[in-house]
Amino acid sequence: MTNVAAQREETAFCRHCGGEVVGNSAYCCSGCEAAHRLIGKAGLAAYYQRRILDAGQRRPRPEDLHQIGDLAAWVRDLDAETAELTLMVDGLHCGACVWLIEQYLLQQPGVVNARVSLTTRRLTLRWEKDICQPEALAEGVQALGYRLVPLDPSCLVAKDEAEVKALLRCLAVAGFAAGNIMLLSVSVWLGADPWTRDLLHWVSAMIAIPAIAYAGRPFFASAWNALKARRTNMDVPISLAIILAPSLSLHETFTGGQHAYFDSAVTLLFFLLIGRFLDTRARRAARATAEQLLALNAEAATAIEADGTLRDVQPRQLAVGQRVLVVAGARIPADGKVLSGSSRIDVQVISGESNPIDAGLGTEVFAGTLNIEGPLTILVEKVGEATLLADIIRLMEAAEARRGRFVRIAEKVARYYSPVVHLTALTTFLAWVFIGGLAWQNALLIAIAVLIITCPCALALAVPAVQVVASQRLLKAGVLLKSADALERLRSVDHVLLDKTGTLTVGRPVLTSCSEPARLSKAAAIASGSRHPLAAALRRAAGLVMTLDGVREIPGQGLEWEGPDGIWRLGSTRFTGQRDNGSAAMTLYLLDPQGHATVFEFTDPLRDDAAEIVAALEAIGPVEIWSGDRAPTVEACAEAVGIADWHAQALPTDKVARLEALRTDGRHVLMIGDGINDAPALRAAAVSMAPASGAEIAQNAADLVFQGDHLAPVLIALNTAKTADRLVRQNLGISLAYNLAAVPLAILGLVTPLIAALAMSSSSIVVVLNALRAGRVKGSRAS
């Protein structure tokens, strides 16, 4: 193993929580890194013990526990020792909420893994069944101030709609109150006598106080939940500002003061609600694709009972081996195979292919795809979280859970927000009173403006918003982003290494020649356990064959089986000790124990857009082919796509050595491969991609997985990475420029609370709208 691969193995587990690490970091996320460095090893145990005790002492409300229901129906056994549960989390507002829930759960005995997705608001929890119970873990999360409900995709849409309607009601109340109080304030501004002024102030108070109490609930509820859990969030200082402004005005009204600020207080709340409403709508647009994917499998399924009767059930209630009827126009509820019927299936959500595929007897079908033409009877093979659709959603959530460099920068700044902003507001108030000689009422107004304008909403949204939109854009193009920082690494690519079979070619070779047809069945039987494209081609050509036990696959070389008469080998010329026949066709040799070889020749067509995409990649940097195939085959492929630098009969160690040499030269290499033999190289590269048709180990090793029969998603991913990097830098610039310009003005008393609310809301909206541009990347077609 090379130094690169060894380094990745050494950092396989987080130093802080022990979770899985992706990349060369010593921590699984920025939260763990910050906690480890901030708390230190000595205080770590005491810190978490205190947090766990705090959570255990704060029992959740009975009505909240009732919402969870029976968790047993949602638990999925992974094996004899571990189980998995997926729930929806209500009350997530930012990355700090995600960090708190994950870190609390990871410190519980028996918890193997805990991941929270801010995009889909899903908590995926794995634990050892003999050590802990899910009910206790769920109660602990609720004690932190969050509500858990069973995963129901329809709840995602319903929750969003309810939130938007509630914000609109609050917005309407605040707008009505602001308009009426403004009308009353006109007389005061025009110089009303003291008696009339006091009367108008009291009328304004009677309108403003109930309006603020009702319309401020979105901020008050969030802040209260945070304070109950002994933490803070961005809504705490905002709520403080909303409360202080009318409180100051009420004091002035009681004492007969000349100035009251009910009009400013309610108008301030009105504009804060406008910002929250637009921000909510923008976030909904950013996560729309993830929620749509979850909703794809929410339709009822029609199960066929043993006696032939039909029964409507939820997809999660289906069992492996059950038969399902899927009528035309319905979505397929589970992964499986067609038992009867013929139709056409829209698989765009799974593969990115825009053209429907034909489906008949034995065709593999996947949950979430759409049956277009005729009824199908399907044998269920995978359900629920085991389906390909669930895998896609998990990959998206895993990408979001792993923070990149820019996310870590933004989080480090936002982490110290709460103490710094409160200290700044207090210092401003005291300075104006004791140094500036200003009345405490006016100094308090300046402090309120500081509380509002320093809210880092724009900074907190700067990076995650771009990442979410970019990952949705890639998903629509058939690219699954497994690592969030892969986009950052893709942007720096200046060299590309390609495998041939299954990468430049479609990976579905066809047997064209066999020197001894009688041995085809033997070769197919040996190849029955391999996912190599040539092994699959042998199986297709041979039809039904018996599988053989004890077959050993040697990556990059072939298969070996020890039978009753000795050792059989199926593989390359080097592996079987044969002389290359010079044919440009792909060749496999079957070597029997007596040393007699049978030759199998295959052709594998190039992907339709291979030459076009290679030409586009060469504009980025040098492109090389490193393949384990024979020289004539690799040469013919390289010539067809226009690549001058090609290497044949390359072992996995050869590919890794080349990547190591390029890394030493300062190159940032993109590796694209699909086979087991490509996995070490995919791990060693700066960034890597694998086709979804490739070996599972290759997909696990890659940073991105692309679907379909074209290479266009590779180019789209590169273009998306460059666009996302540009937008992230723009968003960080916008956020920092806003804070650097607005905060000093507020401290100097040049910004009123009303203007501060407008500025804060506008900065957040601008950042989110700018992030949405990541969904409009120009590039090659995705199909």
Side-chain angles (χ1 to χ4, degrees):
M1 184 175 289
T2 67
N3 293 335
V4 173
Q7 183 181 11
R8 297 183 77 111
E9 291 297 328
E10 290 171 2
T11 58
F13 298 100
C14 178
R15 293 180 182 176
H16 181 66
C17 70
E20 181 183 354
V21 173
V22 175
N24 294 325
S25 173
Y27 304 94
C28 64
C29 66
S30 57
C32 284
E33 180 180 2
H36 193 81
R37 292 178 177 173
L38 182 63
I39 302 166
K41 293 181 179 179
L44 188 59
Y47 170 79
Y48 276 116
Q49 184 179 11
R50 184 169 66 254
R51 293 307 301 267
I52 293 168
L53 286 174
D54 288 344
Q57 292 168 358
R58 293 189 300 278
R59 308 302 296 175
R61 298 176 297 174
E63 58 267 30
D64 288 340
L65 288 177
H66 178 71
Q67 292 293 328
I68 299 180
D70 183 14
L71 291 182
W74 301 88
V75 173
R76 183 168 70 97
D77 291 332
L78 299 179
D79 50 46
E81 298 178 353
T82 58
E84 183 178 80
L85 173 67
T86 303
L87 296 170
M88 287 172 54
V89 185
D90 188 15
L92 289 179
H93 292 284
C94 60
C97 300
V98 173
W99 178 85
L100 179 62
I101 295 172
E102 289 181 349
Q103 295 308 309
Y104 167 76
L105 289 171
L106 288 171
Q107 298 308 309
Q108 304 305 306
V111 173
V112 177
N113 191 23
R115 283 296 183 189
V116 179
S117 168
L118 189 59
T119 302
T120 57
R121 289 161 285 177
R122 296 210 308 176
L123 164 63
T124 302
L125 180 63
R126 295 182 182 179
W127 70 94
E128 296 181 22
K129 292 184 286 188
D130 295 337
I131 299 179
C132 59
Q133 296 299 319
E135 289 79 9
L137 299 174
E139 288 182 14
V141 173
Q142 292 196 128
L144 294 174
Y146 303 95
R147 292 180 63 240
L148 299 178
V149 294
L151 178 64
D152 182 356
S154 61
C155 289
L156 292 171
V157 179
K159 174 70 170 56
D160 274 346
E161 290 179 352
E163 183 180 359
V164 170
K165 288 179 180 178
L167 282 173
L168 281 174
R169 287 194 294 268
C170 293
L171 190 60
V173 170
F176 173 81
N180 283 277
I181 295 174
M182 283 290 184
L183 290 175
L184 296 173
S185 300
V186 171
S187 298
V188 178
W189 299 338
L190 293 177
D193 59 83
W195 188 90
T196 303
R197 182 195 65 207
D198 291 345
L199 175 63
L200 293 175
H201 282 171
W202 278 110
V203 175
S204 297
M206 287 187 289
I207 298 174
I209 300 302
I212 291 173
Y214 178 85
R217 291 180 305 162
F219 303 101
F220 300 154
S222 173
W224 178 243
N225 287 334
L227 293 175
K228 280 197 304 181
R230 301 181 186 181
R231 60 185 179 88
T232 61
N233 62 12
M234 295 178 184
D235 286 335
V236 171
I238 291 177
S239 299
L240 185 60
I242 294 172
I243 292 171
L244 284 176
S247 299
L248 174 61
S249 301
L250 201 59
H251 172 271
E252 289 292 295
T253 302
F254 269 112
T255 59
Q258 183 177 357
H259 300 289
Y261 309 98
F262 293 113
D263 50 355
S264 297
V266 179
T267 308
L268 161 67
L269 178 57
F270 178 63
F271 282 110
L272 285 171
L273 285 168
I274 291 177
R276 178 61 59 91
F277 173 75
L278 294 176
D279 178 50
T280 300
R281 292 295 297 270
R283 290 195 192 206
R284 284 185 67 189
R287 64 173 178 249
T289 301
E291 294 184 351
Q292 288 166 5
L293 281 176
L294 285 172
L296 287 178
N297 215 20
E299 300 177 5
T302 303
I304 303 175
E305 302 293 352
D307 59 0
T309 58
L310 303 180
R311 182 169 62 95
D312 288 339
V313 298
Q314 291 299 316
R316 65 182 178 84
Q317 296 175 314
L318 293 173
V320 174
Q322 196 168 8
R323 293 180 299 155
V324 177
L325 175 65
V326 183
V327 299
R331 292 198 178 273
I332 295 172
D335 291 1
K337 289 184 178 179
V338 175
L339 288 179
S340 65
S342 62
S343 181
R344 290 171 64 78
I345 306 294
D346 182 354
V347 296
Q348 189 166 7
V349 65
I350 297 295
S351 67
E353 294 289 342
S354 58
N355 295 324
I357 65 168
D358 294 325
L361 180 63
T363 302
E364 283 189 316
V365 292
F366 302 99
T369 55
L370 182 65
N371 181 18
I372 297 176
E373 294 181 354
L376 295 173
T377 300
I378 295 170
L379 178 65
V380 175
E381 294 183 337
K382 294 180 180 179
V383 297
E385 294 297 305
T387 62
L388 178 60
L389 181 64
D391 286 340
I392 292 173
I393 296 171
R394 276 195 293 270
L395 286 173
M396 291 173 56
E397 293 176 349
E400 184 185 341
R402 299 175 182 126
R403 281 90 171 169
R405 176 171 57 93
F406 283 124
V407 177
R408 292 193 293 270
I409 294 173
E411 287 182 348
K412 285 179 180 178
V413 176
R415 187 178 303 122
Y416 302 104
Y417 153 72
S418 191
V420 169
V421 70
H422 288 103
L423 182 61
T424 303
L426 178 61
T427 303
T428 301
F429 172 76
L430 296 176
W432 275 108
V433 171
F434 294 106
I435 300 176
L438 198 64
W440 70 268
Q441 297 94 330
N442 294 331
L444 185 59
L445 279 178
I446 295 174
I448 292 171
V450 172
L451 281 174
I452 296 169
I453 211 163
T454 50
C455 180
C457 294
L459 183 61
L461 289 170
V463 185
V466 174
Q467 285 189 340
V468 170
V469 176
S471 64
Q472 313 297 3
R473 168 69 183 96
L474 290 176
L475 181 65
K476 291 178 181 178
V479 181
L480 307 180
L481 184 65
K482 295 175 57 184
S483 174
D485 63 349
L487 284 176
E488 297 173 13
R489 288 181 276 134
L490 267 177
R491 182 195 64 83
S492 303
V493 166
D494 54 13
H495 206 111
V496 181
L497 261 63
L498 298 168
D499 181 40
K500 184 189 73 68
T501 304
T503 303
L504 288 171
T505 65
V506 295
R508 288 191 293 273
V510 177
L511 180 65
T512 57
S513 173
C514 175
S515 62
E516 294 180 80
R519 288 203 166 183
L520 176 58
S521 295
K522 173 65 77 173
I526 295 175
S528 60
S530 174
R531 290 196 61 181
H532 191 281
L534 295 184
L538 281 175
R539 293 195 299 271
R540 287 194 298 270
L544 295 176
V545 294
M546 296 291 293
T547 59
L548 297 177
D549 295 328
V551 177
R552 186 168 65 98
E553 184 160 0
I554 303 170
Q557 299 187 56
L559 303 167
E560 187 175 80
W561 175 67
E562 185 172 358
D565 53 348
I567 294 177
W568 292 72
R569 285 190 168 187
L570 177 68
S572 63
T573 53
R574 179 187 300 177
F575 184 59
T576 57
Q578 302 302 303
R579 180 181 300 176
D580 195 333
N581 61 11
S583 171
M586 292 181 292
T587 305
L588 276 183
Y589 293 87
L590 177 64
L591 186 69
D592 65 18
Q594 290 73 40
H596 177 71
T598 303
V599 184
F600 302 92
E601 293 188 348
F602 307 82
T603 58
D604 188 8
L606 290 170
R607 295 179 186 262
D608 292 342
D609 59 348
E612 174 189 350
I613 300 304
V614 165
L617 292 176
E618 288 184 331
I620 298 173
V623 179
E624 304 177 19
I625 295 179
W626 283 74
S627 174
D629 285 341
R630 299 159 42 255
T633 306
V634 179
E635 182 180 12
C637 177
E639 185 177 347
V641 298
I643 297 178
D645 193 351
W646 56 270
H647 304 266
Q649 294 183 310
L651 296 174
T653 52
D654 298 328
K655 298 179 182 181
V656 174
R658 176 57 176 164
L659 288 166
E660 178 72 13
L662 290 170
R663 187 188 67 82
T664 303
D665 292 341
R667 311 292 290 185
H668 296 84
V669 185
L670 166 64
M671 174 69 196
I672 308 175
D674 74 315
I676 294 176
N677 60 317
D678 295 315
L682 292 169
R683 283 276 187 184
V687 62
S688 56
M689 298 182 70
S693 58
E696 184 175 355
I697 189 172
Q699 296 181 48
N700 291 337
D703 297 301
L704 302 96
V705 177
F706 64 92
Q707 313 260 359
D709 290 335
H710 297 84
L711 278 178
V714 174
L715 193 58
I716 291 176
L718 288 166
N719 291 336
T720 301
K722 293 178 181 178
T723 300
D725 179 77
R726 184 176 71 253
L727 293 177
V728 163
R729 294 176 186 273
Q730 289 175 1
N731 278 355
L732 289 175
I734 292 170
S735 306
L736 293 175
Y738 158 75
N739 283 282
L740 290 175
V743 173
L745 293 176
I747 293 174
L748 293 174
L750 301 177
V751 177
T752 65
L754 179 60
I755 299 301
L758 282 170
M760 186 270 289
S761 300
S762 300
S763 65
S764 298
I765 294 168
V766 168
V767 162
V768 173
L769 292 177
N770 190 48
L772 292 176
R773 294 169 56 206
R776 299 190 296 271
V777 179
K778 294 181 179 180
S780 298
R781 53 194 171 87
S783 58

